[in-house]
Amino acid sequence: MPVISTPQAFNEDDLYVDLEGIFEHPLFLKCEGFNFAGSIKLKAATEMVETAERDGLLTPDSVLVESSSGNLGVALSVIAANKGYRFVCVTDSRCNLATRMTMEALGSQVHVITEPDPVGGLLGARIDHVQALCAFDERYVWLNQYANPGNSTAHYQRTAPAIARQFPDLDVLFVGAGTTGTLMGCARYFRTWHRPVRVVAVDTVGSVTFGGVPGRRMIPGLGTSMRPPLLDESYVDDVVRVEEADTIRACHRLARRGFLFGGSTGTVVSGAMAWLARQEGRELTAAAIAPDLGERYLETVYRTTWVQDVCGDDVFSPRSLTTAPQPPDLGRGRPRSSCSPGSSEDAPAFRPGRNRTPAELDRK
């Protein structure tokens, strides 16, 4: 029986769902939502905070501040509450209500940005706000998830070794691409493993992470409108881009079998099934990472009226929920247009510490 004294000390690392009975191809889905933050972001948040403490950037008087539209904000809220730090999450109007309420319940302040920057959009406005806070008060410390090395180190040290222990004959690993912290940590680990493992990045249509035409997106978690500083494409073997309509269909197919996962998981599963469908019957040991669970998406991905407004009525046709997703655009070419508006996280350059110089504030 595990006994813990800090919430970040617990994470279920060895739970997998065999999806072959739900979809057409065998795939082991690593469930990362069973911890007190509800997502894989607890690992990155823990690593970044503890590194900042070791480096002397965080003191008892420090105030953590971070730009986040979801899971990292909750993870930092959990850690800040446990360690006694104040935490301010700078988000925008696209943030799920359940996520905002969770952060506030944990004692964090949530600043909601409603007016986009003329060039950088809502994310640019969020970053401006973070930098303004740091410039106003030297106690504010921005960890910068978009380029902080600890974001990938956490997965090199924990997530990838956990997968390797369970699947010594692993052939292919599917990882969603957002800040690319999880992707790069796992890819670097398996590059030096005892056998070749293909690492396939799963991205959303409209994201420019791997090139292509930018588009408007609604489901947070994966995709960027700027190349993430953490990304090194030499570690990535393939890229699959997924339409948001296929993300939603995958989520609902899983839910109809009792598995309520988040939007990022639906994207990864849909992309993995499309990639596996192209392998012409090859027997492969395949695993994928599910970043979170679905409770925070009840008002969006799992709300029929929201989905119909975003993607139309045919998303929930009987055939769409019982057949495999159509293979989306594979590789790094021009993506098809997405059905849904919105955008996900950009990736400003890593600036450790307080990031509070006047020059950095003048982004326009």
Side-chain angles (χ1 to χ4, degrees):
M1 178 182 70
V3 177
I4 62 172
S5 57
T6 64
Q8 59 269 31
F10 173 75
N11 184 78
E12 175 53 67
D13 233 350
D14 297 319
L15 178 62
Y16 295 79
V17 177
D18 183 351
L19 296 184
E20 188 172 10
I22 303 175
F23 294 87
E24 285 67 30
H25 304 283
L27 179 69
F28 297 101
L29 187 64
K30 187 179 193 305
C31 302
E32 289 282 355
F34 292 96
N35 58 51
F36 284 93
S39 82
I40 196 171
K41 288 290 188 178
L42 184 60
K43 295 177 183 178
T46 301
E47 177 68 23
M48 290 189 293
V49 168
E50 291 181 352
T51 298
E53 289 175 333
R54 290 193 300 268
D55 293 344
L57 296 175
L58 286 174
T59 69
D61 293 330
S62 295
V63 181
L64 286 167
V65 60
E66 184 60 74
S67 163
S68 172
S69 62
N71 289 332
L72 186 77
V74 174
L76 286 173
S77 295
V78 168
I79 294 172
N82 178 256
K83 289 179 173 286
Y85 294 118
R86 287 177 55 200
F87 172 54
V88 177
C89 181
V90 180
T91 188
D92 60 56
S93 53
R94 298 168 300 183
C95 181
N96 294 333
L97 177 61
T99 299
R100 290 164 51 187
M101 293 179 66
T102 300
M103 289 188 282
E104 291 170 346
L106 290 163
S108 299
Q109 296 182 35
V110 181
H111 293 191
V112 180
I113 303 300
T114 59
E115 294 297 325
D117 178 84
V119 177
L122 284 170
L123 180 62
R126 286 188 352 220
I127 298 303
D128 283 344
H129 189 75
V130 169
Q131 293 179 324
L133 289 174
C134 294
F136 177 75
D137 190 331
E138 65 178 10
R139 293 176 300 169
Y140 282 85
V141 178
W142 181 29
L143 297 175
N144 192 353
Q145 65 160 325
Y146 309 109
N148 191 317
N151 190 355
S152 62
T153 299
H155 304 292
Y156 181 90
Q157 295 178 341
R158 297 185 59 186
T159 306
I163 296 170
R165 287 195 302 270
Q166 294 294 326
F167 300 99
D169 297 324
L170 185 68
D171 294 304
V172 57
L173 176 65
F174 299 93
V175 187
T179 63
T180 69
T182 306
L183 173 65
M184 296 314 303
C186 291
R188 286 193 168 96
Y189 180 88
F190 283 110
R191 177 61 61 88
T192 60
W193 205 38
H194 71 92
R195 58 173 287 146
V197 174
R198 294 188 70 83
V199 175
V200 179
V202 183
D203 200 7
T204 58
V205 168
S207 168
V208 302
T209 298
F210 297 95
V213 178
R216 304 180 68 195
R217 290 162 282 117
M218 191 63 143
I219 301 173
L222 300 183
T224 60
S225 55
M226 181 185 295
R227 180 184 175 88
L230 293 174
L231 177 62
D232 183 345
E233 288 189 61
S234 68
Y235 286 89
V236 179
D237 296 295
D238 286 304
V239 178
V240 182
R241 294 184 177 88
V242 176
E243 297 274 5
E244 286 191 328
D246 288 329
T247 291
I248 293 166
R249 292 184 186 109
C251 286
H252 281 259
R253 287 185 68 183
L254 288 163
R256 288 191 172 191
R257 298 296 292 272
F259 297 105
L260 195 71
F261 284 106
S264 297
T265 298
T267 301
V268 171
V269 170
S270 180
M273 290 300 160
W275 190 93
L276 291 169
R278 295 167 62 96
Q279 303 312 303
E280 300 179 350
R282 293 173 56 199
E283 293 186 4
L284 298 171
T285 299
I289 296 174
D292 61 4
L293 302 178
E295 290 89 345
R296 295 171 189 164
Y297 300 83
L298 294 178
E299 294 188 345
T300 55
V301 171
Y302 293 103
R303 185 180 179 186
T304 302
T305 54
W306 183 91
V307 173
Q308 290 174 333
D309 288 343
V310 167
C311 292
D313 295 334
D314 60 344
V315 174
F316 293 120
S317 65
R319 184 176 181 276
S320 71
L321 295 179
T322 57
T323 59
Q326 294 298 310
D329 180 40
L330 300 180
R332 297 170 172 79
R334 179 184 178 92
R336 295 180 291 166
S337 59
S338 175
C339 70
S340 55
S343 68
S344 188
E345 306 283 21
D346 291 345
F350 178 48
R351 301 184 183 95
R354 297 182 174 84
N355 297 271
R356 60 180 189 272
T357 65
E360 289 172 336
L361 289 171
D362 188 14
R363 301 181 69 249
K364 298 180 182 180

